[in-house]
């Protein structure tokens, strides 16, 4: 498996523009997570999905942010309109399960390489 | 959410053991202790996890105090590739909105000297 695939790796845009970040999870994984990382706030969980359904979006900063998962192999995180404070690295992660507590690895999160967003 | 406390940074020499401490004095009975690390310019990666007993895998060992209020991640022979930020995370399985979530703190920056 190629792991979690994110695109684009780097995005530079101007304030007010729409930004769409994309993620392809590991095949067969039922859970997908979006995180954001900044120097000030560290790694923050924005939203996660189970079987394509959003379960918890309490970390989404505001209405400018939206996330969708139209099918099991694709998710998007959209920012419209973008602002300079949205500049960050956005990570997508996936896992087979959430609650398995064994050491089978089923609840391990596998992260993508991230999308670095710069809003000017 | 139960919180963890880690030193901001630690240093080690290559091929020496490294002990990364983590305090979690408010841990509950349903919290699992997870460790992830983040290499420079990469996403976090899983290292190890445990509940009460010490755990070993190919990457590291996890030593958990008997009262579970602290734990130590042990890298038996540090390499330059182990230079990363190490996160100690309590993963809650009690139920409710925090069930199974992975909430990252600031972590420990490990520097490995050749």
């Amino acid at each position: 498996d190629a792991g979690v695939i994110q695109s684009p790796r780097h995005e530079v845009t101007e304030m007010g523009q729409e930004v769409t970040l994309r993620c392809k999870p590991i095949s067969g994984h039922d859970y997908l997570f979006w995180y954001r990382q900044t120097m000030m706030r560290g790694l923050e969980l924005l939203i996660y999905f189970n079987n394509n359904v959003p379960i918890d979006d309490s970390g989404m900063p505001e209405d400018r942010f939206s996330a969708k998962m139209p099918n099991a192999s694709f998710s998007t995180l959209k920012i419209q309109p973008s602002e300079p404070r949205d500049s960050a690295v956005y990570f997508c992660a996936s896992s087979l399960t959430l609650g398995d507590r064994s050491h089978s690895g089923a609840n391990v999160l596998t992260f993508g390489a991230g999308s670095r967003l710069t809003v000017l | 959410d139960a919180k963890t406390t880690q030193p901001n940074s630690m240093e080690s020499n290559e091929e020496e053991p490294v002990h990364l401490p983590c305090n979690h004095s408010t841990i509950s009975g349903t919290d699992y202790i997870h460790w992830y690390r983040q290499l420079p310019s990469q996403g976090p990666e899983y290292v190890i996890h445990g509940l009460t007993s010490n755990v070993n895998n190919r990457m590291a060992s996890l030593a958990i105090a008997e009262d579970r209020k602290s734990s130590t991640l042990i890298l038996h022979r540090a390499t330059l590739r182990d230079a990363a930020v190490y996160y100690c995370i309590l993963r809650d399985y009690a139920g409710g909105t925090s069930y199974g979530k992975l909430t990252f703190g600031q972590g420990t920056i490990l520097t490995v000297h050749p």
Side-chain angles (χ1 to χ4, degrees):
Chain A
D1 201 314
V4 175
I5 307 298
Q6 292 188 245
S7 65
R9 291 295 313 277
H10 301 274
E11 173 97 2
V12 180
T13 190
E14 293 192 346
M15 185 173 63
Q17 296 298 305
E18 177 178 293
V19 173
T20 300
L21 307 178
R22 298 172 178 80
C23 176
K24 176 178 166 50
I26 292 174
S27 177
H29 279 193
D30 290 335
Y31 287 83
L32 184 139
F33 307 82
W34 281 101
Y35 282 83
R36 176 174 69 174
Q37 186 171 33
T38 61
M39 288 293 293
M40 291 296 294
R41 301 174 68 90
L43 270 161
E44 305 172 275
L45 176 64
L46 301 178
I47 185 171
Y48 77 91
F49 295 82
N50 176 27
N51 291 324
N52 314 337
V53 176
I55 302 300
D56 187 338
D57 64 355
S58 59
M60 295 285 265
E62 49 198 272
D63 291 345
R64 296 184 298 106
F65 285 69
S66 63
K68 294 182 180 179
M69 193 164 186
N71 57 62
S73 59
F74 183 66
S75 175
T76 60
L77 179 66
K78 188 172 292 187
I79 309 172
Q80 166 63 14
S82 58
E83 296 182 4
R85 60 191 168 126
D86 302 330
S87 298
V89 181
Y90 291 81
F91 289 102
C92 176
S94 69
S95 69
L96 191 58
T97 71
L98 193 66
D100 173 41
R101 307 165 207 192
S102 72
H103 288 87
S104 67
N107 68 349
V108 167
L109 267 66
T110 301
F111 285 77
S115 294
R116 180 175 295 277
L117 172 65
T118 303
V119 183
L120 303 175
Chain B
D1 294 340
K3 295 289 187 281
T4 62
T5 303
Q6 300 179 251
N8 290 333
S9 62
M10 291 186 64
E11 296 186 19
S12 172
N13 294 316
E14 202 174 8
E15 298 192 5
E16 291 184 355
V18 181
H19 291 234
L20 296 163
C22 181
N23 287 320
H24 29 79
S25 59
T26 60
I27 191 171
S28 73
T30 52
D31 287 332
Y32 279 67
I33 303 159
H34 283 245
W35 284 82
Y36 279 69
R37 72 180 185 180
Q38 187 172 18
L39 303 172
S41 300
Q42 294 188 28
E45 64 175 354
Y46 169 80
V47 179
I48 202 167
H49 78 277
L51 179 63
T52 56
S53 304
N54 295 342
V55 183
N56 300 296
N57 66 21
R58 63 175 181 81
M59 289 182 71
S61 295
L62 176 60
I64 301 173
E66 198 168 331
D67 63 4
R68 301 210 322 129
K69 294 183 184 300
S70 66
S71 61
T72 303
L73 179 70
I74 302 166
L75 307 179
H76 295 285
R77 290 184 66 192
T79 68
L80 296 178
R81 196 194 172 277
D82 291 322
V85 181
Y86 286 79
Y87 297 97
C88 170
I89 303 163
L90 298 184
R91 203 168 184 187
D92 173 21
Y93 288 105
T97 58
S98 62
Y99 182 86
K101 281 186 184 179
L102 215 58
T103 302
F104 290 79
Q106 293 305 309
T108 296
I109 301 171
L110 175 65
T111 302
V112 180
H113 299 289

